[in-house]
Amino acid sequence: MKTELFWLLLTAILAASLWIPFIVGVNMLPKSSGEIDAFVVPRDPLTLTPWIARSYRAHQNLLEQFLPFAVIVLIGHTLGISNGVTQICAVIFFWLRVVHAIGMITAWARLPLRPIIFTSAWLVIIVYAWQLLVA
């Protein structure tokens, strides 16, 4: 398996699993009297305990960047474009997304660190795409 596809696979596993902290958190919350079943009317995630709301946003943030990253990696694979830059981009993207998720859920990545991590992952996507455009 090519390096880029390996790291795309790991990123997909991360994206497919990042809902878990949110669901665990929601199910740990006590039910208030008269509350409608959460499966009938889900709670607004942003009104929940801060770490639960952050876990929801961490998952959303990853999904926002995962789709363009995946498309670019798959286009590169289809075109047979793989070089040191695309390989490093794939590795860096994955680890930035891991650090972003952990930092967001635990709240240690506060301003300006969290936006810097998010923007860095975006820049990695742009650098990767540039490699395809100039090849």
Side-chain angles (χ1 to χ4, degrees):
M1 178 182 306
K2 286 191 173 185
T3 301
E4 297 89 340
L5 292 179
F6 173 77
W7 290 99
L8 177 62
L9 173 63
L10 291 184
T11 307
I13 293 168
L14 178 64
S17 303
L18 205 50
W19 60 271
I20 296 170
F22 174 71
I23 295 302
V24 168
V26 166
N27 285 299
M28 289 172 48
L29 293 173
K31 258 191 174 179
S32 57
S33 62
E35 182 179 349
I36 299 172
D37 185 346
F39 286 104
V40 177
V41 179
R43 296 179 184 187
D44 179 357
L46 302 179
T47 64
L48 300 173
T49 305
W51 80 267
I52 299 171
R54 289 191 308 269
S55 68
Y56 176 80
R57 286 300 304 143
H59 188 218
Q60 295 303 306
N61 282 172
L62 174 53
L63 295 177
E64 290 166 3
Q65 288 190 326
F66 179 69
L67 180 61
F69 176 71
V71 168
I72 290 166
V73 170
L74 293 174
I75 289 171
H77 178 70
T78 302
L79 296 174
I81 299 169
S82 176
N83 58 43
V85 175
T86 61
Q87 293 170 3
I88 292 296
C89 283
V91 173
I92 291 172
F93 182 80
F94 172 77
W95 287 112
L96 283 170
R97 295 311 316 173
V98 168
V99 169
H100 184 274
I102 292 169
M104 188 163 197
I105 293 169
T106 63
W108 65 259
R110 297 178 185 265
L111 284 172
L113 185 56
R114 196 175 69 232
I116 289 171
I117 296 168
F118 186 88
T119 303
S120 297
W122 172 77
L123 287 171
V124 167
I125 293 170
I126 298 304
V127 169
Y128 198 126
W130 181 252
Q131 292 296 300
L132 304 187
L133 291 170
V134 299

